[in-house]
């Protein structure tokens, strides 16, 4: 699962490269959730990318945290991209992940995508 190159190259986003990586995936999930609550969705997705770059396995909970961050930022396209990438990585989306994506699509008035997600559930 990856983060779009335009986010990784953005000079407006500070990276955690000078900070020691977290020891456990749960710490990444907490950081992603925290950044989402601070309206820092781009930084949250960079943390997700960092986790994956260290070959730490993403969980449904971690990806759901990333999707929820996208919902709060009205980034429905990114939420759907995270869902698609989770499926590609053989994660089984749960009700929380689908509900978050549905919320993102509703916020973006993307009714066709909303109904497609409802059918997939």
């Amino acid at each position: 699962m990856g983060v779009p190159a335009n986010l990784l190259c953005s000079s407006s986003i500070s990276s955690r490269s000078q900070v020691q990586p977290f020891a456990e995936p749960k710490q990444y999930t907490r950081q992603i959730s925290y950044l989402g609550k601070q309206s820092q969705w781009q930084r949250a997705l960079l943390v997700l990318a960092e986790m994956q770059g260290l070959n730490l396995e993403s969980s449904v909970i971690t990806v759901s945290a990333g999707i929820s961050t996208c919902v709060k930022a009205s980034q429905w396209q990114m939420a759907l991209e995270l869902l698609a990438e989770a499926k590609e990585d053989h994660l089984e989306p749960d009700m929380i992940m689908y509900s978050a994506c549905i919320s993102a699509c509703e916020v973006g008035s993307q009714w066709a995508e909303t109904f497609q997600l409802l059918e997939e559930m």
Side-chain angles (χ1 to χ4, degrees):
M1 180 179 317
V3 174
N6 62 334
L7 288 181
L8 295 175
C9 297
S10 175
S11 61
S12 65
I13 302 170
S14 63
S15 74
R16 289 180 19 88
S17 61
Q18 294 127 356
V19 179
Q20 185 157 354
F22 293 125
E24 297 180 20
K26 287 180 183 181
Q27 292 173 302
Y28 283 94
T29 302
R30 283 193 289 266
Q31 183 69 16
I32 292 165
S33 295
Y34 172 79
L35 290 169
K37 291 175 185 172
Q38 301 299 313
S39 300
Q40 297 181 33
W41 69 275
Q42 293 171 316
R43 288 186 65 201
L45 295 184
L46 286 174
V47 170
L48 181 59
E50 176 186 317
M51 177 185 172
Q52 295 160 342
L54 294 171
N55 293 322
L56 294 173
E57 192 171 314
S58 297
S59 69
V60 170
I61 296 169
T62 305
V63 176
S64 293
I67 291 171
S68 293
T69 296
C70 294
V71 173
K72 293 173 190 150
S74 301
Q75 297 293 322
W76 65 271
Q77 293 167 314
M78 184 61 64
L80 292 179
E81 187 173 320
L82 290 175
L83 176 65
E85 290 175 355
K87 291 177 186 177
E88 289 174 13
D89 290 344
H90 306 290
L91 289 177
E92 186 68 36
D94 64 1
M95 190 68 71
I96 295 169
M97 192 180 288
Y98 274 112
S99 295
C101 283
I102 288 168
S103 294
C105 290
E106 288 174 343
V107 168
S109 298
Q110 302 301 311
W111 307 116
E113 286 81 359
T114 299
F115 291 122
Q116 181 180 350
L117 290 168
L118 288 169
E119 288 179 4
E120 286 180 28
M121 289 174 66

